[in-house]
Amino acid sequence: MFINGFLIYQCKETRKELTQQTEQVENLLSQIDRLEKEVKELKSSQDNTKDEIMDWKTYRNEKYGYEIKYPSSYTLTERNSGNIDLLLENNIKIWIYTKNNIIDKWAGTSNMSFKDFATHIVKLGCEAGGKMTRTYCELIKENSFTTEGGVQGYEIYLKEISVLQQDVTESGQEEILSEENKMPQFAFDISRQPNSSARGLFFEVSILNDQKEEKLLKTFEQIVSTFKFIEN
């Protein structure tokens, strides 16, 4: 009886192990199937993007050594004043941060990594103050990415906050008037380009009139993805 009981116990344990192993195999197969679908969808998305930008125009900037593609229907305007380099459809702006800028000396950004530098600069760009209110930005998140041309960039998300100044509130504390998540901004380190007088190149976008945010953001990200350095 002891032997029979032991054999029954062994059979139960073996069956239990087989059941667990079967479940593990099924889970692995499910994960593989999911990953294959994701890869297929990603490839399809990339193929669609390539098809969409196939007829786009190309802009080349010899001074800073880069090029981008943009929709053929878009109006491109080069600017020679300030730091603004390009305007696309009046709401996609590409601007340059030059080296030895007075802000760089004041803020001490020359010793920052490019990621920290880029975040600092875009946050600084949304600061504003008045007699009763002030506006500033907080970082939500930042992601690194690589363009189709193999250039590493940073995607920066900010929240814009407007507050009522403390000296005009009854409580004596700043009071938040509004909070709004801004459209993403993109930054590329161009300081290592030959003879470059700039440290960073930035992309930003704003919504005008009745533009649909999702469609505009998709086109904006596609333009950014085409950024690459010109080969010498």
Side-chain angles (χ1 to χ4, degrees):
M1 290 183 63
F2 175 78
I3 295 176
N4 289 339
F6 178 76
L7 290 174
I8 292 172
Y9 172 78
Q10 284 290 90
C11 287
K12 287 182 178 180
E13 288 298 308
T14 301
R15 185 179 300 170
K16 183 179 179 181
E17 290 180 5
L18 288 173
T19 300
Q20 291 176 343
Q21 291 175 359
T22 301
E23 290 177 352
Q24 290 176 354
V25 170
E26 289 177 349
N27 288 335
L28 287 172
L29 290 173
S30 177
Q31 291 178 26
I32 291 171
D33 184 57
R34 177 174 56 81
L35 289 172
E36 287 178 343
K37 287 181 179 179
E38 290 180 357
V39 170
K40 186 177 180 180
E41 290 175 359
L42 178 61
K43 187 176 184 303
S44 176
S45 176
Q46 291 174 338
D47 290 341
N48 290 336
T49 298
K50 289 179 180 179
D51 290 340
E52 289 176 6
I53 68 175
M54 188 176 297
D55 297 325
W56 282 15
K57 293 180 180 179
T58 299
Y59 169 80
R60 290 172 62 91
N61 187 303
E62 300 291 343
K63 180 179 180 180
Y64 294 111
Y66 75 90
E67 73 173 42
I68 59 167
K69 292 183 180 295
Y70 63 96
S72 301
S73 60
Y74 273 34
T75 299
L76 182 146
T77 306
E78 289 188 273
R79 301 285 291 272
N80 296 317
S81 60
N83 285 340
I84 299 176
D85 191 33
L86 288 176
L87 278 176
L88 288 167
E89 291 295 281
N90 290 322
N91 63 326
I92 294 179
K93 181 168 69 174
I94 301 173
W95 54 280
I96 302 292
Y97 185 96
T98 56
K99 296 176 182 176
N100 300 319
N101 189 291
I102 188 171
I103 298 177
D104 194 40
K105 295 179 180 179
W106 168 71
T109 55
S110 58
N111 295 323
M112 293 181 179
S113 66
F114 182 76
K115 181 180 73 171
D116 292 340
F117 159 79
T119 301
H120 176 81
I121 293 301
V122 296
K123 287 176 65 179
L124 200 63
C126 75
E127 290 186 0
K131 292 183 178 179
M132 298 185 66
T133 64
R134 75 181 183 95
T135 301
Y136 63 95
C137 280
E138 291 183 351
L139 177 67
I140 299 175
K141 65 177 180 178
E142 56 188 2
N143 303 318
S144 62
F145 67 97
T146 303
T147 69
E148 294 176 2
V151 183
Q152 184 183 40
Y154 294 95
E155 182 179 18
I156 303 168
Y157 290 83
L158 300 177
K159 176 189 291 184
E160 185 177 81
I161 302 171
S162 295
V163 298
L164 193 63
Q165 299 276 35
Q166 60 185 22
D167 56 349
V168 295
T169 63
E170 293 182 0
S171 65
Q173 301 292 326
E174 288 186 339
E175 296 178 5
I176 295 178
L177 298 175
S178 64
E179 295 183 359
E180 181 182 4
N181 291 343
K182 295 173 65 68
M183 299 283 275
Q185 296 190 50
F186 297 86
F188 296 96
D189 184 355
I190 59 173
S191 62
R192 297 180 182 179
Q193 286 296 93
N195 304 316
S196 176
S197 61
R199 186 175 185 191
L201 184 143
F202 296 81
F203 288 73
E204 64 177 89
V205 63
S206 56
I207 300 175
L208 298 178
N209 303 324
D210 298 326
Q211 289 179 317
K212 294 183 178 180
E213 181 176 333
E214 184 177 348
K215 182 178 180 181
L216 175 62
L217 185 57
K218 179 183 177 182
T219 302
F220 178 51
E221 290 175 343
Q222 286 177 326
I223 292 171
V224 173
S225 72
T226 67
F227 177 88
K228 69 178 183 179
F229 291 127
I230 298 173
E231 296 182 4
N232 296 318

PDB file of all heavy atoms in Angstrom, residues 32-57:
ATOM      1  N   ILE A  32       5.041  35.487 -27.918  1.00  0.00           N
ATOM      2  CA  ILE A  32       5.687  35.494 -29.237  1.00  0.00           C
ATOM      3  C   ILE A  32       4.717  35.977 -30.303  1.00  0.00           C
ATOM      4  O   ILE A  32       5.062  36.783 -31.176  1.00  0.00           O
ATOM      5  CB  ILE A  32       6.216  34.086 -29.592  1.00  0.00           C
ATOM      6  CG1 ILE A  32       7.397  33.727 -28.675  1.00  0.00           C
ATOM      7  CG2 ILE A  32       6.638  34.013 -31.057  1.00  0.00           C
ATOM      8  CD1 ILE A  32       7.845  32.292 -28.794  1.00  0.00           C
ATOM      9  N   ASP A  33       3.483  35.497 -30.225  1.00  0.00           N
ATOM     10  CA  ASP A  33       2.458  35.898 -31.183  1.00  0.00           C
ATOM     11  C   ASP A  33       2.185  37.400 -31.086  1.00  0.00           C
ATOM     12  O   ASP A  33       2.063  38.090 -32.114  1.00  0.00           O
ATOM     13  CB  ASP A  33       1.177  35.107 -30.918  1.00  0.00           C
ATOM     14  CG  ASP A  33       0.097  35.405 -31.936  1.00  0.00           C
ATOM     15  OD1 ASP A  33       0.354  35.222 -33.142  1.00  0.00           O
ATOM     16  OD2 ASP A  33      -1.005  35.824 -31.540  1.00  0.00           O
ATOM     17  N   ARG A  34       2.122  37.904 -29.834  1.00  0.00           N
ATOM     18  CA  ARG A  34       1.884  39.335 -29.636  1.00  0.00           C
ATOM     19  C   ARG A  34       3.037  40.169 -30.179  1.00  0.00           C
ATOM     20  O   ARG A  34       2.831  41.193 -30.840  1.00  0.00           O
ATOM     21  CB  ARG A  34       1.690  39.613 -28.143  1.00  0.00           C
ATOM     22  CG  ARG A  34       1.494  41.085 -27.801  1.00  0.00           C
ATOM     23  CD  ARG A  34       1.175  41.260 -26.332  1.00  0.00           C
ATOM     24  NE  ARG A  34       2.203  40.671 -25.487  1.00  0.00           N
ATOM     25  CZ  ARG A  34       3.353  41.274 -25.199  1.00  0.00           C
ATOM     26  NH1 ARG A  34       3.631  42.458 -25.705  1.00  0.00           N
ATOM     27  NH2 ARG A  34       4.234  40.688 -24.395  1.00  0.00           N
ATOM     28  N   LEU A  35       4.278  39.717 -29.919  1.00  0.00           N
ATOM     29  CA  LEU A  35       5.453  40.439 -30.401  1.00  0.00           C
ATOM     30  C   LEU A  35       5.521  40.429 -31.925  1.00  0.00           C
ATOM     31  O   LEU A  35       5.885  41.430 -32.553  1.00  0.00           O
ATOM     32  CB  LEU A  35       6.729  39.826 -29.813  1.00  0.00           C
ATOM     33  CG  LEU A  35       6.969  40.069 -28.319  1.00  0.00           C
ATOM     34  CD1 LEU A  35       8.155  39.263 -27.824  1.00  0.00           C
ATOM     35  CD2 LEU A  35       7.199  41.554 -28.057  1.00  0.00           C
ATOM     36  N   GLU A  36       5.181  39.296 -32.530  1.00  0.00           N
ATOM     37  CA  GLU A  36       5.177  39.206 -33.986  1.00  0.00           C
ATOM     38  C   GLU A  36       4.167  40.185 -34.587  1.00  0.00           C
ATOM     39  O   GLU A  36       4.428  40.822 -35.610  1.00  0.00           O
ATOM     40  CB  GLU A  36       4.861  37.774 -34.429  1.00  0.00           C
ATOM     41  CG  GLU A  36       6.013  36.796 -34.211  1.00  0.00           C
ATOM     42  CD  GLU A  36       5.656  35.381 -34.625  1.00  0.00           C
ATOM     43  OE1 GLU A  36       4.442  35.094 -34.774  1.00  0.00           O
ATOM     44  OE2 GLU A  36       6.579  34.567 -34.801  1.00  0.00           O
ATOM     45  N   LYS A  37       3.005  40.305 -33.935  1.00  0.00           N
ATOM     46  CA  LYS A  37       1.985  41.248 -34.408  1.00  0.00           C
ATOM     47  C   LYS A  37       2.468  42.689 -34.274  1.00  0.00           C
ATOM     48  O   LYS A  37       2.257  43.508 -35.172  1.00  0.00           O
ATOM     49  CB  LYS A  37       0.688  41.057 -33.611  1.00  0.00           C
ATOM     50  CG  LYS A  37      -0.066  39.788 -33.958  1.00  0.00           C
ATOM     51  CD  LYS A  37      -1.350  39.674 -33.146  1.00  0.00           C
ATOM     52  CE  LYS A  37      -2.122  38.408 -33.503  1.00  0.00           C
ATOM     53  NZ  LYS A  37      -3.361  38.277 -32.691  1.00  0.00           N
ATOM     54  N   GLU A  38       3.139  42.987 -33.138  1.00  0.00           N
ATOM     55  CA  GLU A  38       3.653  44.343 -32.915  1.00  0.00           C
ATOM     56  C   GLU A  38       4.722  44.696 -33.943  1.00  0.00           C
ATOM     57  O   GLU A  38       4.753  45.806 -34.461  1.00  0.00           O
ATOM     58  CB  GLU A  38       4.216  44.469 -31.499  1.00  0.00           C
ATOM     59  CG  GLU A  38       3.148  44.447 -30.417  1.00  0.00           C
ATOM     60  CD  GLU A  38       3.730  44.563 -29.025  1.00  0.00           C
ATOM     61  OE1 GLU A  38       4.982  44.612 -28.906  1.00  0.00           O
ATOM     62  OE2 GLU A  38       2.955  44.599 -28.052  1.00  0.00           O
ATOM     63  N   VAL A  39       5.620  43.731 -34.224  1.00  0.00           N
ATOM     64  CA  VAL A  39       6.670  43.951 -35.228  1.00  0.00           C
ATOM     65  C   VAL A  39       6.049  44.172 -36.602  1.00  0.00           C
ATOM     66  O   VAL A  39       6.464  45.062 -37.356  1.00  0.00           O
ATOM     67  CB  VAL A  39       7.651  42.751 -35.264  1.00  0.00           C
ATOM     68  CG1 VAL A  39       8.583  42.866 -36.467  1.00  0.00           C
ATOM     69  CG2 VAL A  39       8.454  42.683 -33.977  1.00  0.00           C
ATOM     70  N   LYS A  40       5.033  43.373 -36.919  1.00  0.00           N
ATOM     71  CA  LYS A  40       4.355  43.500 -38.203  1.00  0.00           C
ATOM     72  C   LYS A  40       3.678  44.858 -38.329  1.00  0.00           C
ATOM     73  O   LYS A  40       3.754  45.518 -39.371  1.00  0.00           O
ATOM     74  CB  LYS A  40       3.328  42.378 -38.359  1.00  0.00           C
ATOM     75  CG  LYS A  40       2.661  42.346 -39.724  1.00  0.00           C
ATOM     76  CD  LYS A  40       1.715  41.149 -39.825  1.00  0.00           C
ATOM     77  CE  LYS A  40       1.045  41.113 -41.206  1.00  0.00           C
ATOM     78  NZ  LYS A  40       0.109  39.956 -41.319  1.00  0.00           N
ATOM     79  N   GLU A  41       3.005  45.293 -37.240  1.00  0.00           N
ATOM     80  CA  GLU A  41       2.330  46.585 -37.249  1.00  0.00           C
ATOM     81  C   GLU A  41       3.343  47.727 -37.358  1.00  0.00           C
ATOM     82  O   GLU A  41       3.110  48.706 -38.065  1.00  0.00           O
ATOM     83  CB  GLU A  41       1.498  46.750 -35.973  1.00  0.00           C
ATOM     84  CG  GLU A  41       0.268  45.844 -35.928  1.00  0.00           C
ATOM     85  CD  GLU A  41      -0.460  45.929 -34.610  1.00  0.00           C
ATOM     86  OE1 GLU A  41       0.024  46.680 -33.728  1.00  0.00           O
ATOM     87  OE2 GLU A  41      -1.501  45.274 -34.457  1.00  0.00           O
ATOM     88  N   LEU A  42       4.481  47.584 -36.653  1.00  0.00           N
ATOM     89  CA  LEU A  42       5.522  48.607 -36.707  1.00  0.00           C
ATOM     90  C   LEU A  42       6.100  48.704 -38.106  1.00  0.00           C
ATOM     91  O   LEU A  42       6.295  49.805 -38.631  1.00  0.00           O
ATOM     92  CB  LEU A  42       6.624  48.279 -35.697  1.00  0.00           C
ATOM     93  CG  LEU A  42       7.826  49.247 -35.661  1.00  0.00           C
ATOM     94  CD1 LEU A  42       7.354  50.641 -35.297  1.00  0.00           C
ATOM     95  CD2 LEU A  42       8.873  48.770 -34.658  1.00  0.00           C
ATOM     96  N   LYS A  43       6.378  47.555 -38.727  1.00  0.00           N
ATOM     97  CA  LYS A  43       6.915  47.544 -40.086  1.00  0.00           C
ATOM     98  C   LYS A  43       5.914  48.159 -41.064  1.00  0.00           C
ATOM     99  O   LYS A  43       6.284  48.927 -41.955  1.00  0.00           O
ATOM    100  CB  LYS A  43       7.245  46.119 -40.518  1.00  0.00           C
ATOM    101  CG  LYS A  43       7.962  46.039 -41.865  1.00  0.00           C
ATOM    102  CD  LYS A  43       8.340  44.611 -42.193  1.00  0.00           C
ATOM    103  CE  LYS A  43       9.133  44.538 -43.491  1.00  0.00           C
ATOM    104  NZ  LYS A  43       8.409  45.124 -44.623  1.00  0.00           N
ATOM    105  N   SER A  44       4.640  47.821 -40.879  1.00  0.00           N
ATOM    106  CA  SER A  44       3.606  48.370 -41.745  1.00  0.00           C
ATOM    107  C   SER A  44       3.517  49.879 -41.585  1.00  0.00           C
ATOM    108  O   SER A  44       3.385  50.619 -42.566  1.00  0.00           O
ATOM    109  CB  SER A  44       2.252  47.732 -41.406  1.00  0.00           C
ATOM    110  OG  SER A  44       1.219  48.312 -42.176  1.00  0.00           O
ATOM    111  N   SER A  45       3.631  50.334 -40.324  1.00  0.00           N
ATOM    112  CA  SER A  45       3.587  51.768 -40.047  1.00  0.00           C
ATOM    113  C   SER A  45       4.776  52.480 -40.677  1.00  0.00           C
ATOM    114  O   SER A  45       4.641  53.561 -41.259  1.00  0.00           O
ATOM    115  CB  SER A  45       3.574  52.008 -38.543  1.00  0.00           C
ATOM    116  OG  SER A  45       3.630  53.381 -38.243  1.00  0.00           O
ATOM    117  N   GLN A  46       5.968  51.862 -40.570  1.00  0.00           N
ATOM    118  CA  GLN A  46       7.166  52.450 -41.165  1.00  0.00           C
ATOM    119  C   GLN A  46       7.060  52.502 -42.685  1.00  0.00           C
ATOM    120  O   GLN A  46       7.452  53.492 -43.307  1.00  0.00           O
ATOM    121  CB  GLN A  46       8.401  51.647 -40.741  1.00  0.00           C
ATOM    122  CG  GLN A  46       8.747  51.790 -39.270  1.00  0.00           C
ATOM    123  CD  GLN A  46       9.885  50.878 -38.845  1.00  0.00           C
ATOM    124  OE1 GLN A  46      10.162  49.869 -39.489  1.00  0.00           O
ATOM    125  NE2 GLN A  46      10.552  51.229 -37.763  1.00  0.00           N
ATOM    126  N   ASP A  47       6.513  51.434 -43.270  1.00  0.00           N
ATOM    127  CA  ASP A  47       6.332  51.403 -44.726  1.00  0.00           C
ATOM    128  C   ASP A  47       5.358  52.479 -45.170  1.00  0.00           C
ATOM    129  O   ASP A  47       5.575  53.151 -46.187  1.00  0.00           O
ATOM    130  CB  ASP A  47       5.826  50.026 -45.173  1.00  0.00           C
ATOM    131  CG  ASP A  47       6.886  48.943 -45.023  1.00  0.00           C
ATOM    132  OD1 ASP A  47       8.078  49.288 -44.935  1.00  0.00           O
ATOM    133  OD2 ASP A  47       6.523  47.749 -44.988  1.00  0.00           O
ATOM    134  N   ASN A  48       4.279  52.647 -44.390  1.00  0.00           N
ATOM    135  CA  ASN A  48       3.291  53.673 -44.717  1.00  0.00           C
ATOM    136  C   ASN A  48       3.900  55.065 -44.626  1.00  0.00           C
ATOM    137  O   ASN A  48       3.620  55.932 -45.459  1.00  0.00           O
ATOM    138  CB  ASN A  48       2.082  53.574 -43.780  1.00  0.00           C
ATOM    139  CG  ASN A  48       1.243  52.342 -44.048  1.00  0.00           C
ATOM    140  OD1 ASN A  48       1.262  51.794 -45.149  1.00  0.00           O
ATOM    141  ND2 ASN A  48       0.494  51.898 -43.054  1.00  0.00           N
ATOM    142  N   THR A  49       4.739  55.261 -43.574  1.00  0.00           N
ATOM    143  CA  THR A  49       5.399  56.557 -43.405  1.00  0.00           C
ATOM    144  C   THR A  49       6.324  56.848 -44.568  1.00  0.00           C
ATOM    145  O   THR A  49       6.356  57.969 -45.096  1.00  0.00           O
ATOM    146  CB  THR A  49       6.212  56.579 -42.092  1.00  0.00           C
ATOM    147  OG1 THR A  49       5.318  56.393 -40.989  1.00  0.00           O
ATOM    148  CG2 THR A  49       6.955  57.887 -41.928  1.00  0.00           C
ATOM    149  N   LYS A  50       7.082  55.835 -45.010  1.00  0.00           N
ATOM    150  CA  LYS A  50       7.979  56.020 -46.152  1.00  0.00           C
ATOM    151  C   LYS A  50       7.199  56.365 -47.408  1.00  0.00           C
ATOM    152  O   LYS A  50       7.623  57.198 -48.216  1.00  0.00           O
ATOM    153  CB  LYS A  50       8.810  54.751 -46.369  1.00  0.00           C
ATOM    154  CG  LYS A  50       9.859  54.523 -45.293  1.00  0.00           C
ATOM    155  CD  LYS A  50      10.645  53.241 -45.546  1.00  0.00           C
ATOM    156  CE  LYS A  50      11.684  53.020 -44.463  1.00  0.00           C
ATOM    157  NZ  LYS A  50      12.454  51.769 -44.656  1.00  0.00           N
ATOM    158  N   ASP A  51       6.042  55.715 -47.585  1.00  0.00           N
ATOM    159  CA  ASP A  51       5.207  56.004 -48.752  1.00  0.00           C
ATOM    160  C   ASP A  51       4.670  57.431 -48.686  1.00  0.00           C
ATOM    161  O   ASP A  51       4.611  58.130 -49.704  1.00  0.00           O
ATOM    162  CB  ASP A  51       4.034  55.012 -48.822  1.00  0.00           C
ATOM    163  CG  ASP A  51       4.490  53.602 -49.172  1.00  0.00           C
ATOM    164  OD1 ASP A  51       5.594  53.464 -49.725  1.00  0.00           O
ATOM    165  OD2 ASP A  51       3.744  52.655 -48.875  1.00  0.00           O
ATOM    166  N   GLU A  52       4.284  57.855 -47.476  1.00  0.00           N
ATOM    167  CA  GLU A  52       3.702  59.182 -47.313  1.00  0.00           C
ATOM    168  C   GLU A  52       4.716  60.286 -47.597  1.00  0.00           C
ATOM    169  O   GLU A  52       4.361  61.341 -48.131  1.00  0.00           O
ATOM    170  CB  GLU A  52       3.150  59.334 -45.892  1.00  0.00           C
ATOM    171  CG  GLU A  52       1.897  58.507 -45.639  1.00  0.00           C
ATOM    172  CD  GLU A  52       1.441  58.604 -44.194  1.00  0.00           C
ATOM    173  OE1 GLU A  52       2.041  59.406 -43.442  1.00  0.00           O
ATOM    174  OE2 GLU A  52       0.497  57.893 -43.813  1.00  0.00           O
ATOM    175  N   ILE A  53       5.977  60.081 -47.201  1.00  0.00           N
ATOM    176  CA  ILE A  53       6.979  61.142 -47.368  1.00  0.00           C
ATOM    177  C   ILE A  53       7.787  61.001 -48.658  1.00  0.00           C
ATOM    178  O   ILE A  53       8.701  61.789 -48.889  1.00  0.00           O
ATOM    179  CB  ILE A  53       7.940  61.171 -46.155  1.00  0.00           C
ATOM    180  CG1 ILE A  53       8.817  59.927 -46.134  1.00  0.00           C
ATOM    181  CG2 ILE A  53       7.176  61.317 -44.854  1.00  0.00           C
ATOM    182  CD1 ILE A  53       9.862  59.944 -45.032  1.00  0.00           C
ATOM    183  N   MET A  54       7.433  60.036 -49.479  1.00  0.00           N
ATOM    184  CA  MET A  54       8.187  59.786 -50.707  1.00  0.00           C
ATOM    185  C   MET A  54       8.211  61.021 -51.611  1.00  0.00           C
ATOM    186  O   MET A  54       9.214  61.327 -52.256  1.00  0.00           O
ATOM    187  CB  MET A  54       7.590  58.597 -51.455  1.00  0.00           C
ATOM    188  CG  MET A  54       8.416  58.140 -52.657  1.00  0.00           C
ATOM    189  SD  MET A  54       7.706  56.661 -53.425  1.00  0.00           S
ATOM    190  CE  MET A  54       7.842  55.483 -52.089  1.00  0.00           C
ATOM    191  N   ASP A  55       7.092  61.741 -51.662  1.00  0.00           N
ATOM    192  CA  ASP A  55       6.991  62.902 -52.557  1.00  0.00           C
ATOM    193  C   ASP A  55       7.237  64.226 -51.834  1.00  0.00           C
ATOM    194  O   ASP A  55       6.957  65.293 -52.385  1.00  0.00           O
ATOM    195  CB  ASP A  55       5.600  62.920 -53.212  1.00  0.00           C
ATOM    196  CG  ASP A  55       5.363  61.701 -54.097  1.00  0.00           C
ATOM    197  OD1 ASP A  55       6.326  61.236 -54.725  1.00  0.00           O
ATOM    198  OD2 ASP A  55       4.212  61.230 -54.151  1.00  0.00           O
ATOM    199  N   TRP A  56       7.741  64.157 -50.617  1.00  0.00           N
ATOM    200  CA  TRP A  56       8.003  65.391 -49.880  1.00  0.00           C
ATOM    201  C   TRP A  56       9.219  66.128 -50.448  1.00  0.00           C
ATOM    202  O   TRP A  56      10.094  65.530 -51.083  1.00  0.00           O
ATOM    203  CB  TRP A  56       8.263  65.076 -48.410  1.00  0.00           C
ATOM    204  CG  TRP A  56       7.026  64.788 -47.619  1.00  0.00           C
ATOM    205  CD1 TRP A  56       5.791  64.502 -48.112  1.00  0.00           C
ATOM    206  CD2 TRP A  56       6.903  64.756 -46.201  1.00  0.00           C
ATOM    207  NE1 TRP A  56       4.900  64.294 -47.080  1.00  0.00           N
ATOM    208  CE2 TRP A  56       5.563  64.435 -45.896  1.00  0.00           C
ATOM    209  CE3 TRP A  56       7.796  64.953 -45.153  1.00  0.00           C
ATOM    210  CZ2 TRP A  56       5.100  64.324 -44.588  1.00  0.00           C
ATOM    211  CZ3 TRP A  56       7.339  64.839 -43.846  1.00  0.00           C
ATOM    212  CH2 TRP A  56       5.996  64.537 -43.568  1.00  0.00           C
ATOM    213  N   LYS A  57       9.271  67.411 -50.198  1.00  0.00           N
ATOM    214  CA  LYS A  57      10.416  68.223 -50.612  1.00  0.00           C
ATOM    215  C   LYS A  57      11.546  68.084 -49.592  1.00  0.00           C
ATOM    216  O   LYS A  57      11.317  67.683 -48.456  1.00  0.00           O
ATOM    217  CB  LYS A  57      10.001  69.692 -50.725  1.00  0.00           C
ATOM    218  CG  LYS A  57       9.001  69.979 -51.842  1.00  0.00           C
ATOM    219  CD  LYS A  57       8.656  71.459 -51.882  1.00  0.00           C
ATOM    220  CE  LYS A  57       7.671  71.763 -52.991  1.00  0.00           C
ATOM    221  NZ  LYS A  57       7.302  73.208 -53.038  1.00  0.00           N
TER     222      LYS A  57
END
